[in-house]
Amino acid sequence: MPTLALRGKIIITGEIEAVTGLHIGGAAAGLDIGGIDNPIIRHPVTREPYIPGSSLRGKMRSLLDRHFGKEANHFIQRREPVVRVHVCEDERAYAECPVCQIFGVTPGEPGRRGWTNLKPARLIVRDVYLAQNHEATERLRRAKTDLPFTEIKWEAAIDRITAAAVPRQNERVPAGAVFAPFEFVYSLYDLNGGGSNRDLEWLRYVFKAMELLEDDYLGGYGSRGAGKIRFQKINVVFKSRQYYEGGAEAEIVRLAENVDDVRQLPLAEYADRLRKLIRGG
Ligand SMILES: [Zn+2]
């Protein structure tokens, strides 16, 4: 029987700043009178804009696919912005694939892809809301924006043959908005008693994906300037299995306290520290 044991969790938190306007699409208002063409997604209760964890995660995954040159063979999202990702088709490829180990494989048809059993995703990405009690949010609240917390950007789609301009409206969260706290949870597993070395080693690709995302865009209209984001005030802690079993506070280990720390987090340093803590239990 294959076994899977949790060895601990690495929790990455911080803020996401919209460096340029941010458009993460919601359902179009359609026939509403005065509805806009391309609304953003809003929290159903507070009506505040937020970043769905699935958008953030899907984008990080697709950037990592491209980084490793993996073929995008699986749809995450068919509506704009289309997100297609790579998913390993067999267990041998999976064993060597940081992307599928970090982000998970979708179970296939029963039988054909039975190997996908006991293959949990390492990374959880939570929804990120507008930072509460934050100066940037207060500023947005006071600003006379077109809609609560957002601006409407008019753009013209130009017909390539007739040159007729069709005006379109896009709703955006203005530059300077801060979403916080973001939270990524990366689990360290031990599969079949083989240890957690691989998981430790591949944690660095989570940071790599964050870096790639900062130089890409989140949401729609990226080629037209929207969606540049910055991760800031990053904090990385490790909670061991013992911590979850009710152990001492000492089991929370701080690995990095800001973005530069993360960039310089040398694999050997954190991996050795964590390996000792994992073995300690
Ligand atoms: Zn893969």
Side-chain angles (χ1 to χ4, degrees):
M1 269 299 263
T3 60
L4 185 71
L6 178 73
R7 289 298 173 209
K9 287 178 187 279
I10 288 163
I11 296 152
I12 307 164
T13 54
E15 295 183 351
I16 295 176
E17 185 189 355
V19 180
T20 64
L22 186 62
H23 173 95
I24 298 181
L31 301 174
D32 279 11
I33 294 173
I36 56 167
D37 304 327
N38 290 301
I40 56 145
I41 195 157
R42 288 175 182 274
H43 187 279
V45 177
T46 65
R47 305 302 294 154
E48 291 184 8
Y50 74 103
I51 302 173
S54 55
S55 302
L56 199 50
R57 194 174 187 282
K59 187 72 192 204
M60 284 166 68
R61 179 172 192 158
S62 69
L63 289 169
L64 219 48
D65 288 345
R66 223 180 300 162
H67 177 73
F68 286 108
K70 305 262 183 189
E71 189 207 346
N73 55 358
H74 183 85
F75 276 96
I76 289 266
Q77 182 170 292
R78 286 178 189 271
R79 64 175 164 79
E80 279 295 319
V82 173
V83 180
R84 237 178 326 190
V85 299
H86 140 86
V87 177
C88 277
E89 284 297 336
D90 66 81
E91 189 158 20
R92 263 225 323 260
Y94 172 83
E96 299 300 321
C97 180
V99 181
C100 289
Q101 301 234 354
I102 294 170
F103 293 95
V105 281
T106 45
E109 308 88 83
R112 195 172 79 82
R113 286 177 67 188
W115 65 270
T116 55
N117 293 333
L118 219 62
K119 303 283 189 299
R122 304 299 189 276
L123 189 68
I124 296 169
V125 177
R126 303 206 196 279
D127 293 345
V128 198
Y129 299 100
L130 270 181
Q132 299 301 306
N133 307 316
H134 194 288
E135 185 246 337
T137 308
E138 287 312 312
R139 221 173 29 230
L140 256 184
R141 225 171 235 136
R142 282 195 308 269
K144 297 271 180 286
T145 46
D146 305 302
L147 287 168
F149 299 102
T150 58
E151 61 193 8
I152 303 297
K153 193 162 186 296
W154 283 89
E155 292 187 340
I158 311 289
D159 185 285
R160 293 247 292 263
I161 294 168
T162 64
V166 181
R168 289 162 57 90
Q169 313 146 303
N170 293 320
E171 183 180 19
R172 288 183 182 185
V173 178
V178 173
F179 296 84
F182 76 80
E183 188 178 59
F184 300 160
V185 180
Y186 182 85
S187 297
L188 296 172
Y189 290 111
D190 178 348
L191 181 63
N192 301 330
S196 305
N197 274 346
R198 267 284 166 85
D199 287 6
L200 278 174
E201 201 182 301
W202 286 346
L203 170 64
R204 71 181 133 149
Y205 296 123
V206 175
F207 299 127
K208 173 66 74 188
M210 292 166 71
E211 217 176 325
L212 290 168
L213 178 52
E214 284 192 341
D215 290 335
D216 204 272
Y217 63 88
L218 186 62
Y221 312 109
S223 59
R224 282 171 269 162
K228 182 175 167 64
I229 60 127
R230 182 164 48 219
F231 292 105
Q232 53 197 28
K233 300 191 180 160
I234 295 177
N235 193 25
V236 186
V237 300
F238 170 72
K239 294 181 181 176
S240 66
R241 183 193 175 97
Q242 292 74 29
Y243 169 86
Y244 291 104
E245 286 166 352
E249 267 178 58
E251 303 287 356
I252 297 184
V253 178
R254 178 146 295 150
L255 298 176
E257 288 188 56
N258 61 54
V259 183
D260 289 334
D261 282 358
V262 170
R263 298 240 154 85
Q264 289 159 16
L265 201 64
L267 174 68
E269 237 166 66
Y270 76 79
D272 282 349
R273 283 174 72 188
L274 296 187
R275 244 176 244 125
K276 280 190 199 106
L277 287 163
I278 289 170
R279 267 200 299 272

